[in-house]
């Protein structure tokens, strides 16, 4: 089966909204400030964004808190005129561990990660539905280490389940990942060398 270019799918939605002179609301799940940077720069021109920082996979709690504070600082410094709100998700590492139970030794980037994508996207979709957002999305696809096809597959499945629109995306396209590195340098962002969970950290050792 041919892979879908989800970057083009994003552009189609943006072009339609421009023609209709619509500025839809978007609940954007954010994993960290470096990944958020290029996504926010691109999306803020086309959507009324609220950021949802929900990452129970991150360990230890100090790492979770550090990434959250960097997320807030980035938004305040990069988009001071936008007043983008950050919603802080509940930190429950045990919820993540229960979600990936039995997959502790799975290869990084595989089934364990897919379970983690789903955990975070389901919570984002649930909140998007509750707060009546037009779309929900995630910054995860900007990483070259993340499976954008799988992220979008889960996104669409979750959207159907909760009855809210998924914004398809592959933010690494069109040099998005390169731009995130440039913005990270510009704003002196803390760039971690592992995804977040203890299993991904082992992969970096």
């Amino acid at each position: 089966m041919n892979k879908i270019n989800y970057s083009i799918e994003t552009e189609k939605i943006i072009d339609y909204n421009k023609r209709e002179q619509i500025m839809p609301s978007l609940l954007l799940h954010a994993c960290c400030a470096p990944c958020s940077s290029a996504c926010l720069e691109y999306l803020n021109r086309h959507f009324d964004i609220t950021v949802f920082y929900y990452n129970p996979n991150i360990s230890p709690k100090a790492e979770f808190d550090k990434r959250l504070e960097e997320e807030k600082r980035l938004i305040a410094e990069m988009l001071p005129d936008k007043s983008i709100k950050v919603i802080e998700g509940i930190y429950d590492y045990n919820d993540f561990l229960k979600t990936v139970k039995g997959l502790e030794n799975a290869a990084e980037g595989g089934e364990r990660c897919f379970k983690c994508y789903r955990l975070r996207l389901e919570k984002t979709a649930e909140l998007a539905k509750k707060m009546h957002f037009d779309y929900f999305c995630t910054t995860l696809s900007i990483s070259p280490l993340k499976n954008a096809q799988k992220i979008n597959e889960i996104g669409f499945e979750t959207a159907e389940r909760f009855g809210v629109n998924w914004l398809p995306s592959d933010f690494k396209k069109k040099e998005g990942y390169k731009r995130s590195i440039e913005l990270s340098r510009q704003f002196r962002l803390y760039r971690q060398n592992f995804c977040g969970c203890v299993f991904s950290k082992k992969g970096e050792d």
Side-chain angles (χ1 to χ4, degrees):
M1 185 174 67
N2 293 330
K3 289 186 177 180
I4 298 172
N5 187 326
Y6 287 107
S7 179
I8 291 177
E9 296 303 307
T10 312
E11 292 175 357
K12 288 178 182 178
I13 291 172
I14 289 173
D15 288 344
Y16 172 81
N17 291 333
K18 280 182 179 178
R19 290 195 302 271
E20 298 297 317
Q21 298 183 320
I22 299 170
M23 177 71 82
S25 59
L26 171 66
L27 184 62
L28 179 65
H29 167 262
C31 55
C32 63
C35 288
S36 298
S37 59
C39 300
L40 286 167
E41 183 183 58
Y42 171 52
L43 293 171
N44 88 89
R45 301 187 297 271
H46 311 294
F47 296 90
D48 179 11
I49 300 173
T50 296
V51 168
F52 182 39
Y53 182 82
Y54 174 69
N55 301 289
N57 57 305
I58 296 175
S59 177
K61 179 63 161 53
E63 177 75 16
F64 174 92
D65 291 338
K66 187 171 185 176
R67 295 190 196 191
L68 174 58
E69 290 310 308
E70 282 291 89
E71 183 73 30
K72 292 178 179 179
R73 182 174 70 83
L74 168 69
I75 292 169
E77 293 183 11
M78 188 173 77
L79 299 167
D81 59 327
K82 291 293 183 177
S83 300
I84 293 176
K85 182 181 179 182
V86 178
I87 298 175
E88 300 176 24
I90 295 172
Y91 179 75
D92 186 351
Y93 192 63
N94 287 329
D95 194 20
F96 164 72
L97 292 178
K98 286 188 290 185
T99 297
V100 301
K101 186 176 181 180
L103 295 168
E104 293 85 353
N105 296 316
E108 185 68 11
E111 288 300 322
R112 184 183 65 243
C113 295
F114 300 162
K115 289 275 190 179
C116 185
Y117 299 165
R118 188 176 296 277
L119 171 66
R120 290 183 279 176
L121 289 179
E122 285 182 349
K123 188 65 70 173
T124 307
E126 181 181 19
L127 184 61
K129 178 66 173 181
K130 180 180 179 181
M131 297 183 70
H132 307 290
F133 281 89
D134 296 313
Y135 293 92
F136 75 103
C137 189
T138 180
T139 63
L140 288 169
S141 70
I142 201 167
S143 170
L145 300 177
K146 299 290 187 296
N147 187 325
Q149 297 290 315
K150 194 67 179 180
I151 290 169
N152 281 280
E153 176 186 316
I154 294 171
F156 279 117
E157 290 173 1
T158 305
E160 184 175 357
R161 177 182 168 191
F162 286 91
V164 63
N165 293 316
W166 166 250
L167 180 67
S169 62
D170 188 351
F171 293 120
K172 72 176 70 66
K173 298 286 189 181
K174 300 171 67 175
E175 299 195 323
Y177 178 66
K178 179 182 177 182
R179 181 58 178 158
S180 74
I181 294 174
E182 293 170 350
L183 288 168
S184 294
R185 289 171 180 161
Q186 179 181 339
F187 291 98
R188 309 171 309 285
L189 297 177
Y190 163 63
R191 287 184 66 87
Q192 60 285 343
N193 62 358
F194 67 106
C195 178
C197 75
V198 65
F199 310 111
S200 64
K201 189 173 183 180
K202 285 179 181 178
E204 293 291 334
D205 292 340

